[in-house]
Amino acid sequence: MPRLTAGERHTVRFTLNGRAVEAQAEPRMLLTDFLRHELGATGTHVGCEHGVCGACTVEIDGVPARSCLTLAVQTDGASIRTVEGLAPEPGRLSVLQEAFRRHHALQCGFCTAGILMSLDNYLRRQPNPSEHELREFLGGHICRCTGYVPIVAAAMDAARRLRESPSDV
Amino acid sequence: MSAANSSTQWCGQSVERVEDAALLTGRGRFIDDLATKPGTLHAAILRSPHGHARLAAIRTDAARALPGIAAVLTGDDIRKLSASLVVGVKAPVECWPIATDRVRYVGEPVAVVVATSRYIAEDALDLIEVDYDTLPAIVDPVAALNPTQPVLHDGLKSNLASERTFRYGEPEEAFTEAAHRIAVTIRYPRNSCTPMETYGLVAEYDPGEDAYDVLANFMGPFSLHAVMARALKVPGNRFRLRTPPDSGGSFGVKQGVFPYIVLMGVAARVTGQPVKWIEDRLEHLAASVSATNRVTTLKAAVDSDGRVRALDWDQLEDVGAHIRAPEPATLYRMHGNLTGAYDIRHVSVRNRVVLTNKTPTGLNRGFGGPQVYYALERLMQRIAVELKLDPVEVIRRNLIPSGAFPYRTATGALLDSGDYVKAFGLALQDGGFAELRQRQATARAEGRLYGIGLTAAVEPSVSNMGYITTVLTPDERRKAGPKNGAQATATISLDPLGGVTVHVSSVPQGQGHRTVLAQIVADDLGLKPSDIRVVTDFDSARDAWSIASGNYSSRFAAAVGGAAKLASGKIKAKLARTAAAQLNVAADDIEFAGGKVRARGNPDNALPFSRLAATSHWSPGLVPEENQALRETAFWSPTQLTAPTEGDEINSSLCHGFIFDFCGVEIDRVTGAARIDKYVTMHDCGTILHPGMVAGQVTGGFAHAVGAALYEEYAYGDDGSFLTGTFADYLVPTTMEVPAPVILHYETPSPFTPLGAKGVGEGNCMSTPVCLANAVADALGLDAIDLPLTPAKLAAHIHGAESTPPQQERPALAAGKGRALHGAGEAHVNASADAVWRMLLDPNTLATIIPGAHGVEKLSDTHFRADVTLGVGPVTGRYKADIRLSDLDAPRAVTLTGIVTGALGDARGAGRITLTPDEAGTRVAYDYDAAIGGKVASIGGRLLDGAAKVVIRQFFAALVRHTGGAPAKRGLFARLFGRDT
Amino acid sequence: MKPARFDYIRAADLAEAHDALAEYGNDARVIAGGQTLMPMLSMRLVRPKVVVDIMHLPALRGIEAGGNGIRIGAGVRQAELLAWPGLAEHLPLLNAALPWVGHAQTRSRGTVCGSAAHADPSAEIPLCLLALGATIELSSRRGRRRVPAADFFTGMMTTARAENELIEAVHIPGKQAGSGCAFKEFGRRHGDFAIVACAAIVTAASVRLAVGGVADKPVLRDFAIDDGKPLDEALDAFAWALDARDDLHATGRYRRELVRQMGRDTIEEARRCHA
C-alpha cells in the first residue's frame, strides 16, 4: 500500500485474534471504528477518542495500544488481539477474566475490555508485580464505576494464580 | 412459607454477577454495539464556541451541498416540528434542545448535520458558517443577580428564576438566645461523574402513525418521557422509548440525553430515515450535564457546648443557561435533610435559582447532597474550632439520639431507621480513630502538615416525586394538584417450561440489577438465581412503568428490589393455592424450597417447581381463575411519600442511610499535593442484599468524591469560555490517585421497604468531599476552603511570601491575569519611527507582516479586515481578522484592537505598540491583553499562552524582516527576545 | 470527533518520505507512533493533506551506541528505549525520565523522536535532550544536518525543523564519567503533562538544571559552582527568568516555587548520585 487516496476506501488486512480478516477503510478511519463497525468486533469500546481513558486498548503486534490513536491503515499486516480473543474457549473465561468476575472488578463493563487487554499483556511480561507497580501500570485507564479497589485485587489474584499454574490461560 | 427456613438464602451473599460473562468477553450490548437498520443515518452537532451570543446568521448551503449529507437542521427547523421542553418553575421561559435566537453556553447545539457517516457529518460541520454577535457572558452566580448584568432569557426580568423562603420552628428566637452565631460561606464548584460511555441514541419516525420510536441509553426518571412526548407533540403512546441491554455507567448523567432524543427525533422525521447519534467525549464534557455549582451561606445558632439550636440556610443555585427538567430538583432533593444527621428543630431557608452562561445542570451522583453537606459539615468543624471543642464531640452532641426513629426532621423528612450514635461510636472504635490521632501527632511533631477530617451525613434514597413541587408556593401547588409518591414496578412471568422471568423498569448502568433481582426472586420461590432470568432493557410500549421508573435516587434496592419481592409474592400465593389442591394440604402449609413446592413437614409430598409453574400454560382448565399464574406485576408506592404540607414540610425521600466518615490527609510542603493517608467510611444502608455490590458502590462513590474534592472541575473563563474540554484537563482520578477506603457497616433495616434495604450508591459523593476538605483545613489551619483542593491552591497557603524578581531577571511578560492572556515584549528594527509608523498603517505592509494574511482589506484609515492562516506548530487554521487602530499618537504609539474568528476558536485582544527611536533605528515595544475562546480554549488551554506568544512574535519578526532588520532565520527569536533562552 | 480527509503514504524508504515532505511541506504530517498526532487529527486541530507513515523504514528502527554517544532512530518507540539494556548505564537521565512519559499504553507506540518533533513544552523527552546536549539529525532530499537541542526547540510546539525535513534520529552523548543526574516531575495526576519537570546533571565542575512545563519550551541553565553565590539565589533568579504563567492547573507563582524547591531537590539528588 504505497499511497492511499483520501476519500476512497482501501482494503486493510490484518490478523485479528489469530484469524485473517479484511475490510475497507478510508485513510482517516480510526482503528476503533474499523474494528467495531467494519469488522463487527464491538467488544473494544470508545471512551474518549483522545488517548486518555484507555477503554479502547487492544494489543497491536504484541504490545498494548490505544486503538483510537491508531489509523486502521497503519495496522495493515499487523497482528491484533482484542477482548473477543481473551477467553480460551466459548463458555470458559481466562484466569484474568475469572478473577474480574470473582472480585466484582467491573460494574458497567464499558472500560473493562481495555483494562483486560492491558493486564493480559502486562501479566505475561511481569508475572509478579507489586501493588504499586500494578497501580502505576493501570494508571493508563479510567474506570468510573469501581473505584479501582476490586480491579487491583482481581489483577493481583490473577497474577498469583497464573504464577501458581503457569499453563493456565 | 418463606425461604428463610430453607438452607440457602441467596440475598446477603456476594454471588457472581450474571452480567459479567458477556461484559468480560466483549459481548456486551451497548447502544453503539447494536446493529441498525440499513439506511440509518448519522448525526453530528455544530456547537456554540461562545458563552453568550446572538445568532445573527447561519449559512448551511455549502454543508448541504456536500455529497452524503441528508439534512442540515437549525433551530428554526426544530421549532417548526416540536415544542419547547417543559420548564419546572413558574416562569415565562422556553427551553429548546438547540439554540434558536441566542447561544447561552459553550457547547449549545446550533445545527445538526445528518449524513451517511459520522465522518462525513463532521466534514459538513466545518462548512457551516455562523455569524455570532457576542454578548457579555455571565459566569458568576452572584454577579448574575446584579441588575446591571444582561438578562439571559427574554421572558424574565432578571436572571433569578426562582426564589422561595421557608421557616420551620422558631429560628429567630434560637438565634437570639443562643450563646454563639457561627457561619460559613462556601462556593461549591461544578463537576460531573462523566460515565465512560457517552450518550447515544437511534431515533425513528413513522409518518403513518405520527409516532416516534427511540432507542437511547437514557436512565430515567421517566417523568421525562412526558416532557419528551410533549416536545415532540405526540401523545405518550406514540413516543416509544427503549433502552439497550447494557449502558456504560451513568451516575445520573444519562438523564441528560433527553433533549437529544427530541432533537434527533425531529431529524429522523425530516430525513425519513433512522438517525443515529453517538456523543463524543468533547461534546460530553462541554455540554452533557453538570452538577450545579452553588454559593451557600449557612449560619448556626450554637450553645457553648457546641449544641446547634438552629440553622439559617441561604442557597444560591446556579443551574446554567436553562432551567432544564428536572431542575431545580438538585436544590430541593435534600430539602427534608437540611439538618443532616443532627437533631436541630429550628431552620430557616432562602433558596434562589439563578441562570448563567454555563451548561444546563442535571442529575449527578449525590444530587444536591455534596453541596448541602459541604456547607453543613464545614460548619460543624468551624463550630469546634471557634468554640475550642473536639470536633468528635460536636458531632456526637448533635446526632439524632438513639431510639428516636422514625424521626421527623424539622423540614419534613421521616428518617426511617438507624442508631446514629451507636454507628458513630463503632466507626471511631473499629476504624481506629485513636490511632489516627496518634499518627497526626507524630506527623506534626516531625513538622509535617497532617489534618484529620470528620463528616456525618444522612444519605437519602428513593425520591418522592413530589419533592420538586416544594419550589412552588402552597398556593401554586394547590392549583397544580398534589404530586407525591414513587411508583416502583416489577413483573414476573412464567414460561411453558416453568422458567421464571423478571422484568423491571430500573434501567441499570452497571449496578448488577439482574443479579440481585435473581437473588431476591430465587429466595422467594425456593430456586437458584440461575433459574431466574432477569430482563432490564426497557420498552415504554411493553413494560410496566411509571414516571418514577428509572435508575436514580438510589432507588433500586429499596424500591425496585422490593417491588420484585412483591410481584414474586403475588405469583407465589397463586402457585401455593394450586399446589395445595394438588398436594392435599392447606395453602399456608406449602413451602417453596430447593426447586420444589412441598408440604411443610413432609418434604416427600412435593411437586417440581417447574411443573407447577407451567400449569396455567398447559392446563388452565384445572386452575380456578383466581389462581391462574402466568404473569404478575406489582406496583408499589410507599405511603410515607406524601406531598409537601401547607407548612412546606416535605418527606423528600423514603429511606435514609447513615454515614460517618473520618480521614487523615497529609499535604506535601513543596508541591501542596494532598495525599489521603487513611479513609474510614461507616455506612448504615439497611439490609445488605449483596455485600460485593455494596462495597462496589461505596468504593465507586468514594472515587468520584476523591475526583470532586481534589481533581475535577468544569472550569469556565470569565468570558464564558469552557476550559476543561478534554480528559487531559478534566482530571478524572486513576488508580494512582484513589486509595482503598476502610468500609464499615452497621445494619438497621428500613421498616418502610419490603426488603429492609436502603440506597447506598450516592453517600460517599455527599460525605467524602467535605471530609477531605475538613482534613485539609485542619492540616493548614484554614477557616475557609473551596473545592477542588488543587496543589497550587493549597501551596498558596504554604509557600509564604515570594522573593522580588531580581532586576536583570525580570520577566519579559508580567504575571498572568487569571485565564486571560497578557504579554509584552520588544524588538529592534532598522528603520526610523516614521517608517515603522507608516508600515503599521499601510494595508499592503500589513498584508506582508500579519502572519499568514491572504490580503488585507482597508475599510477605513483605522479599520482593516484580513483572512489569515494562523498556526502554532502543526496546528493551523484559517481565520477572519478584524483589526482597528485607535489612540493614535504618531509616530509614537498606537493601540491595535483585533478580533480573530475561525473554526478552531476565536481571540479578541488589544495591544499598545510604542515606538522609540534609538541609535540604530527604532525600538518597538508591545503590551497586549487577549482572551481566547472556542474550541482551542476548551481543548488546548494548557498551550494557549505560548501559542499566543508564538503568533505575536511572528508578527514582529515579519515587521523586523520587512524593515530590513535581522533576517528571519534559525535563532532569530532567541536574539530578539534574549530573555527567553 | 473524526479526522478530516487526508492521503496516507506508507513510505517504503527514506527517499519516499523525503519526496512526500518536499512535495507537500507543511501540508504533510509524519506519523510514527501517532500518540500526539492522532488526537490532534481527530479534533481537527491538524488537517494535513497527506500523512506519511515512517514506521516501515528499517533504517529508522535502531538504537546504536558508539564512541560519540547513542543514536536513537525515528522509529524507536519509547517503550523500546525503556527496555534497551544499555539505558541505565549510558542514559541514566532518560532511564529516570521515561517512566514519566504518558502511560505504558502510550509509550508502547509513541516514539522518542516523535516527542521531540512535537515539542510540547511540558514533555519529558525534549527536556532531557536539552539537558543532555543532544543533537537532532534532520534529513531532506537536499541533505542532512544536525541541530543542537538548544537550537532545535524554538517555542511552543515549534522547532527548527524545516517543513521538508524529517527527523531521522536523535544523538545523545553518553554518560560522562563522574557525572550524576536526576529527574523530578510534578503533575496533577500520574502520567499527566508536567506542571514542572526538572532534570539535573552535576559534575565536579558544573551544575546544570533544565526545566520543563514552565516556559514555552524546555529551558536550561548552567550554574557556576564557585562564583560565591548560594545555589538558592541562583535558582530564584532562574525561576523568575522562566516567565511562568497561570493556567488552569497552576499559577505562575506556584511554578516558580516548584522550580526553586524541586530544582534544588533535583540538583541535590544528582549530587548524591554523582558522589
Side-chain angles (χ1 to χ4, degrees):
Chain A
M1 45 157 56
R3 176 172 189 142
L4 307 180
T5 312
E8 290 174 16
R9 290 164 68 83
H10 308 270
T11 301
V12 173
R13 298 181 180 86
F14 54 67
T15 307
L16 177 62
N17 299 320
R19 258 181 341 116
V21 295
E22 65 172 69
Q24 303 280 304
E26 271 188 68
R28 62 170 164 172
M29 181 175 273
L30 306 177
L31 179 60
T32 39
D33 289 329
F34 187 72
L35 285 169
R36 293 173 46 76
H37 300 305
E38 304 301 320
L39 297 173
T42 56
T44 300
H45 291 140
V46 180
C48 75
E49 286 184 304
H50 53 277
V52 182
C53 80
C56 69
T57 304
V58 300
E59 196 180 274
I60 303 176
D61 291 332
V63 297
R66 311 284 207 225
S67 55
C68 78
L69 297 187
T70 309
L71 297 169
V73 293
Q74 279 178 287
T75 61
D76 188 72
S79 173
I80 295 179
R81 287 179 74 223
T82 62
V83 67
E84 288 92 344
L86 276 187
E89 59 190 61
R92 196 155 78 83
L93 298 180
S94 71
V95 169
L96 181 65
Q97 289 167 318
E98 279 284 5
F100 265 58
R101 182 160 71 176
R102 206 166 41 248
H103 288 271
H104 302 291
L106 66 158
Q107 287 180 27
C108 80
F110 195 81
C111 70
T112 309
I115 294 177
L116 288 173
M117 293 316 294
S118 263
L119 279 174
D120 178 76
N121 185 282
Y122 179 70
L123 295 180
R124 271 183 278 132
R125 288 181 292 116
Q126 171 54 285
N128 193 9
S130 68
E131 181 177 325
H132 182 81
E133 287 168 336
L134 188 78
R135 280 185 173 262
E136 188 164 330
F137 175 78
L138 283 170
H141 291 274
I142 294 174
C143 166
R144 272 306 223 178
C145 292
T146 62
Y148 305 108
V149 174
I151 294 177
V152 172
M156 294 299 280
D157 185 14
R160 186 178 53 77
R161 283 169 196 256
L162 288 166
R163 284 196 305 276
E164 286 167 2
S165 324
S167 58
D168 285 357
V169 288
Chain B
M1 201 158 63
S2 92
N5 51 11
S6 98
S7 55
T8 311
Q9 170 82 22
W10 295 104
C11 284
Q13 291 192 50
S14 292
V15 299
E16 291 188 351
R17 300 199 322 167
V18 66
E19 289 88 348
D20 288 354
L23 295 172
L24 287 164
T25 52
R27 294 172 182 279
R29 288 173 295 161
F30 298 89
I31 180 102
D32 195 30
D33 300 343
L34 303 177
T36 51
K37 261 169 82 167
T40 297
L41 299 170
H42 299 266
I45 299 173
L46 184 72
R47 293 173 182 275
S48 170
H50 300 289
H52 197 192
R54 198 165 289 286
L55 284 173
I58 307 177
R59 288 178 294 279
T60 60
D61 293 351
R64 284 176 209 276
L66 193 72
I69 301 301
V72 181
L73 305 172
T74 64
D76 287 345
D77 303 308
I78 304 299
R79 281 187 89 111
K80 279 179 205 144
L81 294 170
S82 63
S84 163
L85 304 167
V86 174
V87 172
V89 298
K90 298 285 175 212
V93 288
E94 294 189 326
C95 178
W96 293 89
I98 187 167
T100 56
D101 55 342
R102 281 195 247 178
V103 291
R104 294 182 178 86
Y105 62 96
V106 171
E108 182 158 23
V110 171
V112 178
V113 171
V114 185
T116 50
S117 85
R118 175 69 180 234
Y119 285 79
I120 292 170
E122 292 192 20
D123 291 344
L125 294 186
D126 290 344
L127 300 175
I128 299 173
E129 287 184 45
V130 184
D131 295 340
Y132 296 98
D133 294 337
T134 55
L135 299 165
I138 304 167
V139 174
D140 182 88
V142 177
L145 295 173
N146 189 327
T148 62
Q149 293 291 309
V151 176
L152 294 197
H153 290 270
D154 294 336
L156 295 175
K157 289 191 188 68
S158 76
N159 294 311
L160 181 66
S162 161
E163 174 165 9
R164 281 219 65 197
T165 55
F166 305 89
R167 182 174 172 279
Y168 305 92
E170 306 289 342
E172 302 82 0
E173 289 80 343
F175 271 92
T176 312
E177 290 166 10
H180 304 276
R181 278 147 295 277
I182 296 171
V184 294
T185 294
I186 62 125
R187 299 179 78 96
Y188 203 87
R190 287 197 155 211
N191 49 46
S192 167
C193 293
T194 64
M196 294 315 298
E197 182 196 39
T198 56
Y199 297 165
L201 65 90
V202 184
E204 257 188 278
Y205 175 73
D206 174 3
E209 291 197 69
D210 186 25
Y212 292 91
D213 187 337
V214 179
L215 178 72
N217 55 14
F218 181 64
M219 57 153 263
F222 283 83
S223 48
L224 293 171
H225 184 276
V227 175
M228 289 182 267
R230 284 172 73 171
L232 289 167
K233 300 206 266 196
V234 292
N237 60 9
R238 286 171 198 269
F239 171 49
R240 182 176 188 178
L241 181 57
R242 296 176 293 126
T243 68
D246 292 307
S247 180
S250 174
F251 323 108
V253 175
K254 280 180 178 155
Q255 156 262 324
V257 72
F258 88 92
Y260 296 104
I261 293 176
V262 175
L263 201 54
M264 297 306 164
V266 174
R269 179 168 175 174
V270 169
T271 56
Q273 279 167 280
V275 172
K276 177 173 176 175
W277 174 68
I278 303 292
E279 182 193 49
D280 71 33
R281 182 57 63 185
L282 303 190
E283 297 181 278
H284 186 86
L285 291 170
S288 55
V289 292
S290 164
T292 61
N293 54 303
R294 189 181 295 178
V295 181
T296 303
T297 296
L298 176 59
K299 300 185 188 119
V302 192
D303 292 336
S304 294
D305 64 353
R307 190 76 180 85
V308 179
R309 289 196 183 196
L311 292 175
D312 176 18
W313 287 90
D314 186 345
Q315 305 190 94
L316 179 62
E317 179 86 326
D318 179 353
V319 295
H322 298 281
I323 314 160
R324 198 163 67 191
E327 294 292 19
T330 310
L331 184 56
Y332 284 90
R333 192 261 181 118
M334 300 297 292
H335 198 80
N337 303 115
L338 289 173
T339 47
Y342 307 121
D343 182 24
I344 302 169
R345 300 313 309 170
H346 310 286
V347 182
S348 55
V349 184
R350 175 165 73 150
N351 277 347
R352 289 175 294 170
V353 178
V354 69
L355 294 154
T356 62
N357 291 114
K358 302 204 280 287
T359 299
T361 58
L363 271 60
N364 247 288
R365 195 175 198 169
F367 202 49
Q371 295 90 333
V372 160
Y373 287 117
Y374 199 84
L376 184 56
E377 296 302 303
R378 285 289 305 130
L379 178 71
M380 296 308 277
Q381 189 192 47
R382 292 305 307 155
I383 289 171
V385 171
E386 292 197 19
L387 301 185
K388 299 189 169 54
L389 299 169
D390 182 345
V392 172
E393 284 312 308
V394 172
I395 289 177
R396 193 196 308 275
R397 286 170 196 170
N398 284 290
L399 285 174
I400 293 165
S402 304
F405 296 88
Y407 173 94
R408 182 73 70 177
T409 68
T411 50
L414 184 61
L415 307 185
D416 46 338
S417 66
D419 186 339
Y420 296 179
V421 177
K422 179 112 185 265
F424 171 80
L426 280 173
L428 292 171
Q429 184 190 308
D430 297 350
F433 188 75
E435 293 92 311
L436 188 66
R437 281 245 162 111
Q438 276 170 7
R439 219 172 145 77
Q440 179 184 37
T442 307
R444 286 185 165 176
E446 291 168 4
R448 285 146 58 199
L449 300 168
Y450 195 106
I452 289 178
L454 305 163
T455 301
V458 164
E459 176 182 1
S461 52
V462 189
S463 282
N464 182 346
M465 298 315 283
Y467 80 71
I468 181 59
T469 61
T470 318
V471 71
L472 305 177
T473 63
D475 231 22
E476 289 168 334
R477 287 199 299 264
R478 268 192 300 275
K479 283 181 198 142
K483 305 281 189 300
N484 60 62
Q487 286 278 11
T489 67
T491 299
I492 303 221
S493 47
L494 302 174
D495 66 48
L497 296 176
V500 180
T501 303
V502 181
H503 296 256
V504 292
S505 306
S506 67
V507 201
Q509 299 90 26
Q511 293 88 348
H513 292 184
R514 295 179 59 215
T515 300
V516 176
L517 291 169
Q519 287 176 284
I520 292 167
V521 175
D523 275 345
D524 205 46
L525 298 178
L527 300 172
K528 299 188 295 299
S530 56
D531 296 329
I532 318 288
R533 195 88 200 283
V534 182
V535 179
T536 53
D537 29 327
F538 173 84
D539 183 339
S540 68
R542 290 192 172 151
D543 290 336
W545 62 280
S546 133
I547 59 161
S549 296
N551 195 24
Y552 62 94
S553 78
S554 303
R555 66 194 302 280
F556 169 73
V560 179
K565 162 101 175 158
L566 297 177
S568 176
K570 282 171 83 172
I571 215 156
K572 182 177 171 182
K574 293 184 169 186
L575 292 173
R577 289 197 292 271
T578 302
Q582 294 190 27
L583 299 177
N584 290 317
V585 294
D588 283 353
D589 285 329
I590 292 290
E591 65 179 15
F592 290 64
K596 294 209 176 346
V597 183
R598 64 195 188 195
R600 199 184 312 278
N602 182 10
D604 292 339
N605 186 16
L607 286 164
F609 175 87
S610 55
R611 185 185 169 95
L612 176 67
T615 309
S616 292
H617 281 285
W618 299 105
S619 325
L622 301 180
V623 182
E625 194 182 331
E626 66 273 18
N627 293 347
Q628 294 287 351
L630 290 169
R631 186 178 178 101
E632 290 295 335
T633 297
F635 293 89
W636 179 70
S637 183
T639 54
Q640 293 83 5
L641 294 183
T642 49
T645 66
E646 286 291 303
D648 288 317
E649 290 137 325
I650 176 65
N651 187 21
S652 31
S653 303
L654 177 67
C655 302
H656 297 89
F658 174 70
I659 302 173
F660 174 66
D661 290 356
F662 63 87
C663 66
V665 172
E666 181 168 2
I667 319 287
D668 186 290
R669 277 194 181 274
V670 175
T671 65
R675 181 183 64 83
I676 303 169
D677 184 44
K678 177 166 188 173
Y679 199 98
V680 177
T681 182
M682 159 62 86
H683 286 258
D684 178 355
C685 61
T687 305
I688 292 174
L689 302 177
H690 189 294
M693 287 189 207
V694 167
Q697 288 298 316
V698 172
T699 55
F702 175 72
H704 275 163
V706 169
L710 303 180
Y711 299 99
E712 299 173 29
E713 182 180 10
Y714 275 168
Y716 286 83
D718 293 340
D719 59 349
S721 57
F722 179 61
L723 303 174
T724 47
T726 72
F727 268 157
D729 283 316
Y730 189 79
L731 303 179
V732 173
T734 74
T735 186
M736 290 296 279
E737 285 78 43
V738 186
V742 176
I743 304 170
L744 303 170
H745 287 290
Y746 178 76
E747 283 186 46
T748 60
S750 172
F752 300 160
T753 68
L755 295 160
K758 308 181 183 191
V760 70
E762 297 180 84
N764 283 90
C765 287
M766 304 181 184
S767 61
T768 299
V770 64
C771 191
L772 294 172
N774 280 344
V776 167
D778 183 43
L780 300 178
L782 303 177
D783 298 351
I785 182 82
D786 286 328
L787 302 183
L789 306 165
T790 63
K793 190 189 282 183
L794 302 187
H797 298 285
I798 304 169
H799 285 164
E802 191 174 20
S803 63
T804 48
Q807 200 55 42
Q808 71 275 21
E809 301 277 14
R810 193 180 293 279
L813 306 176
K817 292 178 179 172
R819 277 151 193 166
L821 310 177
H822 175 74
E826 60 181 49
H828 174 82
V829 294
N830 296 334
S832 69
D834 280 322
V836 175
W837 183 261
R838 282 195 301 276
M839 289 175 201
L840 288 173
L841 268 60
D842 171 31
N844 294 324
T845 311
L846 283 175
T848 59
I849 62 175
I850 291 176
H854 313 286
V856 174
E857 188 188 349
K858 182 173 178 174
L859 303 175
S860 78
D861 280 351
T862 56
H863 188 189
F864 304 92
R865 237 182 236 159
D867 274 341
V868 295
T869 300
L870 293 178
V872 176
V875 184
T876 52
R878 196 147 171 153
Y879 300 83
K880 289 189 191 313
D882 186 280
I883 299 160
R884 286 170 196 273
L885 306 176
S886 59
D887 299 330
L888 282 79
D889 176 14
R892 284 181 290 275
V894 58
T895 296
L896 207 144
T897 309
I899 299 175
V900 178
T901 49
L904 294 182
D906 57 277
R908 51 197 62 236
R912 184 77 174 160
I913 297 176
T914 52
L915 310 178
T916 315
D918 63 13
E919 58 281 2
T922 305
R923 194 166 62 82
V924 183
Y926 62 91
D927 188 303
Y928 68 87
D929 283 289
I932 297 182
K935 188 170 175 175
V936 286
S938 294
I939 62 183
R942 191 173 58 83
L943 304 171
L944 282 186
D945 220 27
K949 218 155 105 178
V950 168
V951 171
I952 286 161
R953 282 181 193 172
Q954 283 171 4
F955 175 81
F956 283 97
L959 180 68
V960 170
R961 255 198 323 272
H962 195 80
T963 58
K969 64 174 190 186
R970 185 163 52 81
L972 169 71
F973 294 145
R975 284 194 298 281
L976 276 177
F977 305 95
R979 297 187 190 91
D980 292 330
T981 49
Chain C
M1 210 181 143
K2 310 293 182 189
R5 283 179 172 160
F6 50 76
D7 286 3
Y8 170 82
I9 295 174
R10 178 181 278 196
D13 53 38
L14 267 179
E16 246 180 60
H18 288 152
D19 288 350
L21 290 172
E23 186 182 350
Y24 288 95
N26 212 26
D27 286 329
R29 282 292 126 204
V30 170
I31 191 165
Q35 301 300 289
T36 310
L37 181 62
M38 284 301 299
M40 296 171 96
L41 288 172
S42 287
M43 292 175 189
R44 300 195 180 206
L45 290 172
V46 180
R47 317 173 66 125
K49 288 194 175 120
V50 56
V51 168
V52 184
D53 186 346
I54 59 164
M55 288 309 274
H56 298 267
L57 305 183
L60 302 181
R61 293 309 292 253
I63 304 170
E64 294 156 28
N68 294 326
I70 295 90
R71 180 184 190 274
I72 300 166
V76 174
R77 301 192 194 272
Q78 293 149 9
E80 285 174 57
L81 180 59
L82 199 48
W84 181 53
L87 190 66
E89 183 193 340
H90 295 294
L91 300 171
L93 183 66
L94 275 164
N95 193 41
L98 279 174
W100 291 87
V101 178
H103 297 281
Q105 297 84 352
T106 59
R107 292 193 295 267
S108 62
R109 299 275 293 173
T111 61
V112 175
C113 290
S115 176
H118 184 58
D120 187 295
S122 290
E124 294 82 3
I125 288 172
L127 173 67
C128 290
L129 295 179
L130 178 71
L132 292 166
T135 57
I136 287 81
E137 182 182 344
L138 298 159
S139 69
S140 71
R141 225 152 54 174
R142 296 177 168 199
R144 179 174 305 272
R145 61 182 180 131
R146 279 168 63 160
V147 180
D151 295 333
F152 183 75
F153 300 110
T154 54
M156 172 74 55
M157 289 160 56
T158 48
T159 68
R161 183 184 75 86
E163 55 184 43
N164 64 342
E165 284 180 314
L166 174 74
I167 298 181
E168 249 191 80
V170 292
H171 296 259
I172 311 176
K175 181 177 185 290
Q176 231 179 304
S179 71
C181 70
F183 179 88
K184 284 184 186 292
E185 174 169 326
F186 183 72
R188 292 286 304 276
R189 297 171 305 179
H190 186 78
D192 276 343
F193 282 105
I195 288 177
V196 175
C198 295
I201 298 173
V202 172
T203 66
S206 67
V207 171
R208 164 176 286 192
L209 182 69
V211 172
V214 183
D216 61 356
K217 59 183 177 179
V219 181
L220 171 115
R221 188 166 283 198
D222 288 309
F223 297 95
I225 292 237
D226 287 320
D227 68 352
K229 230 162 84 176
L231 179 63
D232 282 350
E233 258 178 52
L235 278 168
D236 183 50
F238 187 31
W240 278 109
L242 286 169
D243 187 20
R245 303 298 193 87
D246 293 356
D247 68 11
L248 187 61
H249 300 299
T251 58
R253 152 115 188 66
Y254 177 79
R255 288 190 161 91
R256 283 192 294 277
E257 195 60 30
L258 255 56
V259 171
R260 294 181 191 106
Q261 299 200 33
M262 215 166 78
R264 188 189 55 220
D265 292 349
T266 313
I267 289 169
E268 279 169 9
E269 190 182 314
R271 277 184 170 145
R272 282 196 297 278
C273 168
H274 164 57

